[in-house]
Amino acid sequence: MNRRVLLASRPTGLPRVENFAFDSAPIPEPGAGEVLVENIWLSIDPFIRGRMNAGPSYARAMEIGEVVVGGTVGRVIRSNVAALEPGDLVQGQGCWQQYSALRVADASELEPGVLPTWKLDPQAFPARFALSTLGMPGLTAYVGLHDIGQLRSQDTVVVSSASGAVGSVVGQLAKIAGARVIGIAGGPQKCSFVAHRLGFDAGVDYKAPDFEARLRQACPHGIDLYFDNVGGTVTDACMSLLNTHGRVVLCGQTAHYNMESLPPGPDRSLLLRVQILLGRLNVRGFIVSDHWHRREQFLADAAPLVTSGRLQLQEHIAQGLDAAPGALIDLLQGNSFGKVLIQIAPESGE
Amino acid sequence: MNRRVLLASRPTGLPRVENFAFDSAPIPEPGAGEVLVENIWLSIDPFIRGRMNAGPSYARAMEIGEVVVGGTVGRVIRSNVAALEPGDLVQGQGCWQQYSALRVADASELEPGVLPTWKLDPQAFPARFALSTLGMPGLTAYVGLHDIGQLRSQDTVVVSSASGAVGSVVGQLAKIAGARVIGIAGGPQKCSFVAHRLGFDAGVDYKAPDFEARLRQACPHGIDLYFDNVGGTVTDACMSLLNTHGRVVLCGQTAHYNMESLPPGPDRSLLLRVQILLGRLNVRGFIVSDHWHRREQFLADAAPLVTSGRLQLQEHIAQGLDAAPGALIDLLQGNSFGKVLIQIAPESGE
């Protein structure tokens, strides 16, 4: 049987464990062009929260009773695809369950926002990295910095959620490119981590009462590129420090994912537009699933950095599918530290 | 003597005539590298409002007692510059006065935001066009559409303040490039003008009670490029119709220039960021004075269009320096129609 986690009800605000339900279903039959995979690693990412709401955004919403969406690494058990055989490791959108039938197709043939299925080389790097530094979060950092943010070596770069799966790669890639990098994170432990372990020029704690003053002090020449993973007051503080012709990469707005209504006034949307106008800013949003074509170049650039230890990762690993709802809730509250993964089967196969 | 209009006090909200004072001063002496000019045409532009506030933005604020800033076309009376001689026509930042000593220098040597002094060829086009279609507003439209907005022939373009000096050129240049163009303006007269005289595909009246429905109807395939001159509710309506990967050119925010405080909540700044993120939008602000180097190419492209009548202009001309304060107040209220000019001396010289 196939143990699964379903969306039981839509959350209002922060999800609660009651929004999830566990069940067991028959192991799925792979159709034509599909492989049956036993999932080993499940990736917990902020985007999942968005899919729990009704109504489509850039991808369709989950239905009530549907298996919760998520990226996975697993082992092929049965294959209807010439390029894959039993025992192969693959990454894909296996969702919150033990066994998945994954379609193997070009990204352009998939529904918007669906993670494609790719074969992994177990010799190249630990397979679970395909869910973090060398997977979707890493590609997000790479595309956001280079393609969207047009990173230059002389930039002062500020990144929020700096110790997270995306932010930690953003900061390290920017440092490697020669930029000055400030990471914003919650609490002294995460700030110390980005400054002393990851080599950022500074880590600034957004929970500190003098956060804005500390940020200003850490950016004596202003901000050229702000990589925004969070929104909220952190983003307000960064906007006011942007240099003329500065760039803002809008990658995530996690501060707002659990909001039930807009915050009280005044309405500062016009202030934001006036900042963009007078600062001649370039503000761009992006979704990584528009950029899968950059994966090959990204891996060519980033895999050697991981192998050599220049690109590091903090992992937050929990065991068993039952841990998944709590792990997502922790992530959305900023209570986890680093890339959140759930191990749902041993790496070695049965 | 030199009759002048000074900033008497800073307005709160919409300027009033009491904020301006008239005086007479000795005709200025041109210094080294300067010419003395008798001003013929004075340009009334929305940016003047911003300079009346305390505190610098992209350019320094006017001081109390200073001559009100503004672009002019005039005739050289005395010259300390080899390239100009008495009788030559020039455009420059002559401000609200009869006579000005204008510095002749490369744009890069001037204070930020100052309009450079350029010699005009009286045979090429009517000199006052150097303040409108073939001057700063025209260059604003050209740079905003092409360099900032990356106009494509298949775009649906929406422009606000569509019958104004910038908006009317934006729409006409976009039509000439093959785009579908919707103009937003206040009242049926202006809307009819952009649709029937300027050849836009539609003019939509933002004062109509069903404005949003009309705009949606005029944009059955959404909006690819929004050229924003106004901000406010007009911009809110356009943002919600933007296509994925749409572009927003922030050129002006006239709806807010006279606001004394931010409007009441809720705070929709995060909504704006979420729109940019999920829509993968590119929102760019620009100030034309960063782009004087594009003037030559702009004139090469646009002057033949003016001469052949393909690029048309509605002018709103008032007589005499005394009319300037009222003309600015009318412009900021949307009460004028087309490019606002003040004629302060006859074209033919004395």
Side-chain angles (χ1 to χ4, degrees):
Chain A
M1 295 295 278
N2 180 27
R3 188 162 162 78
R4 317 184 301 174
V5 188
L6 313 178
L7 180 66
S9 57
R10 301 198 188 280
T12 51
L14 186 70
R16 301 186 306 166
V17 290
E18 297 83 47
N19 298 127
F20 302 90
F22 289 80
D23 83 347
S24 280
I27 291 175
E29 278 297 319
E34 292 187 343
V35 290
L36 176 66
V37 176
E38 181 186 14
N39 297 317
I40 300 168
W41 295 100
L42 170 62
S43 178
I44 305 293
D45 299 282
F47 80 84
I48 299 169
R49 176 65 187 87
R51 305 283 181 90
M52 299 176 84
N53 291 334
S57 61
Y58 65 95
R60 71 173 180 83
M62 283 190 274
E63 303 295 335
I64 302 293
E66 192 176 0
V67 180
V68 177
V69 75
T72 48
V73 161
R75 192 177 302 280
V76 174
I77 294 175
R78 199 127 48 86
S79 176
N80 293 333
V81 175
L84 290 172
E85 56 185 45
D88 283 346
L89 286 174
V90 292
Q91 66 178 120
Q93 187 165 304
C95 302
W96 292 22
Q97 57 190 343
Q98 288 178 292
Y99 298 93
S100 312
L102 293 180
R103 186 165 165 224
V104 181
D106 192 77
S108 63
E109 298 171 38
L110 300 173
E111 253 189 282
V114 168
L115 301 161
T117 303
W118 283 298
K119 182 175 176 176
L120 293 171
D121 173 4
Q123 309 306 318
F125 51 79
R128 69 184 188 280
F129 287 9
L131 299 174
S132 59
T133 313
L134 296 176
M136 186 270 280
L139 180 62
T140 301
Y142 182 86
V143 167
L145 266 183
H146 294 295
D147 300 0
I148 309 296
Q150 303 287 320
L151 177 69
R152 300 167 311 173
S153 61
Q154 68 270 35
D155 281 340
T156 291
V157 175
V158 172
V159 58
S160 49
S161 290
S163 67
V166 173
S168 64
V169 180
V170 167
Q172 291 178 90
L173 289 181
K175 278 306 295 180
I176 289 166
R180 176 174 168 81
V181 177
I182 315 302
I184 300 175
Q189 185 199 17
K190 292 178 181 175
C191 290
S192 171
F193 170 76
V194 302
H196 301 124
R197 274 283 301 285
L198 300 187
F200 292 15
D201 295 280
V204 181
D205 182 0
Y206 72 83
K207 295 177 175 172
D210 57 344
F211 161 62
E212 286 187 52
R214 287 191 196 192
L215 182 64
R216 201 175 315 115
Q217 198 170 22
C219 304
H221 305 295
I223 300 172
D224 299 301
L225 174 53
Y226 173 48
F227 195 109
D228 186 11
N229 290 311
V230 298
T233 54
V234 167
T235 294
D236 292 338
C238 291
M239 292 298 297
S240 70
L241 292 174
L242 275 168
N243 291 325
T244 299
H245 302 295
R247 290 147 280 147
V248 177
V249 175
L250 289 179
C251 175
Q253 293 283 291
T254 55
H256 309 303
Y257 287 179
N258 298 308
M259 275 188 182
E260 295 173 54
S261 59
L262 292 173
D267 181 2
R268 294 176 306 151
S269 58
L270 75 98
L271 195 65
L272 179 54
R273 287 197 303 267
V274 168
Q275 283 174 323
I276 296 170
L277 170 55
L278 294 182
R280 295 86 125 176
L281 306 181
N282 190 347
V283 180
R284 292 185 65 180
F286 81 109
I287 305 280
V288 68
S289 55
D290 293 335
H291 302 271
W292 297 132
H293 62 280
R294 293 283 282 150
R295 178 174 176 263
E296 203 168 332
Q297 183 62 52
F298 159 65
L299 286 176
D301 289 351
L305 296 171
V306 170
T307 310
S308 69
R310 287 189 75 193
L311 190 51
Q312 296 191 34
L313 176 66
Q314 177 74 20
E315 294 179 308
H316 182 116
I317 297 178
Q319 299 294 325
L321 205 52
D322 291 27
L328 177 64
I329 294 166
D330 277 348
L331 173 69
L332 293 170
Q333 289 181 292
N335 290 341
S336 42
F337 179 18
K339 172 65 199 180
V340 181
L341 291 171
I342 310 286
Q343 185 162 20
I344 55 181
E347 283 229 291
S348 50
E350 50 265 71
Chain B
M1 294 296 277
N2 180 26
R3 188 161 163 78
R4 316 184 302 174
V5 188
L6 313 178
L7 181 66
S9 57
R10 301 199 187 279
T12 52
L14 186 70
R16 301 187 306 167
V17 290
E18 298 82 48
N19 298 127
F20 302 89
F22 288 80
D23 83 345
S24 281
I27 292 174
E29 278 297 318
E34 292 185 344
V35 288
L36 176 66
V37 175
E38 182 187 12
N39 297 317
I40 300 169
W41 296 100
L42 170 63
S43 178
I44 305 293
D45 299 282
F47 81 84
I48 299 169
R49 176 64 187 86
R51 305 283 182 89
M52 298 176 83
N53 292 334
S57 62
Y58 65 95
R60 72 173 181 82
M62 282 189 276
E63 304 295 336
I64 301 292
E66 192 176 359
V67 181
V68 176
V69 74
T72 47
V73 161
R75 192 178 303 279
V76 174
I77 294 176
R78 198 126 49 86
S79 175
N80 293 333
V81 176
L84 290 171
E85 56 185 46
D88 283 346
L89 285 175
V90 293
Q91 66 178 119
Q93 186 163 305
C95 302
W96 292 22
Q97 57 191 343
Q98 289 179 290
Y99 297 93
S100 313
L102 293 181
R103 186 165 164 224
V104 180
D106 192 75
S108 63
E109 297 170 39
L110 299 174
E111 254 189 280
V114 169
L115 302 161
T117 302
W118 284 299
K119 182 176 175 176
L120 294 171
D121 173 3
Q123 307 307 317
F125 51 80
R128 70 184 187 279
F129 286 10
L131 299 174
S132 59
T133 314
L134 296 175
M136 185 270 279
L139 181 61
T140 301
Y142 183 86
V143 167
L145 267 184
H146 295 294
D147 300 0
I148 310 296
Q150 302 287 319
L151 177 70
R152 300 168 312 174
S153 61
Q154 68 269 35
D155 282 340
T156 291
V157 176
V158 172
V159 58
S160 50
S161 290
S163 67
V166 174
S168 63
V169 179
V170 167
Q172 291 178 90
L173 289 181
K175 278 305 294 178
I176 289 166
R180 176 175 167 83
V181 176
I182 314 301
I184 300 174
Q189 185 200 17
K190 291 177 181 175
C191 290
S192 170
F193 170 75
V194 302
H196 301 123
R197 274 282 303 284
L198 300 187
F200 293 15
D201 295 281
V204 181
D205 182 0
Y206 72 83
K207 295 178 175 171
D210 57 344
F211 162 61
E212 285 187 51
R214 288 190 195 193
L215 182 63
R216 201 176 315 114
Q217 199 170 21
C219 304
H221 306 294
I223 300 173
D224 300 300
L225 174 53
Y226 172 48
F227 195 110
D228 186 10
N229 290 310
V230 298
T233 53
V234 168
T235 294
D236 292 338
C238 292
M239 292 299 296
S240 69
L241 291 174
L242 274 168
N243 291 326
T244 300
H245 302 295
R247 290 147 279 145
V248 177
V249 175
L250 288 180
C251 175
Q253 294 283 288
T254 53
H256 309 303
Y257 288 179
N258 298 308
M259 276 187 179
E260 294 172 56
S261 59
L262 293 172
D267 181 3
R268 294 176 306 150
S269 59
L270 74 98
L271 196 65
L272 179 54
R273 288 196 303 265
V274 168
Q275 283 174 324
I276 296 171
L277 170 55
L278 294 181
R280 295 85 126 176
L281 306 181
N282 190 349
V283 180
R284 292 184 66 181
F286 81 108
I287 305 280
V288 68
S289 56
D290 292 335
H291 301 271
W292 296 133
H293 62 281
R294 295 281 282 148
R295 178 173 176 264
E296 202 168 333
Q297 184 62 51
F298 159 65
L299 286 177
D301 289 353
L305 297 172
V306 170
T307 309
S308 69
R310 289 189 72 192
L311 190 51
Q312 295 190 34
L313 175 67
Q314 177 74 19
E315 294 179 308
H316 184 117
I317 297 178
Q319 299 295 326
L321 205 52
D322 290 28
L328 177 64
I329 295 167
D330 277 347
L331 173 70
L332 293 170
Q333 289 180 293
N335 290 342
S336 41
F337 179 17
K339 172 65 198 180
V340 181
L341 291 171
I342 310 286
Q343 184 162 20
I344 54 180
E347 283 228 289
S348 51
E350 53 266 70

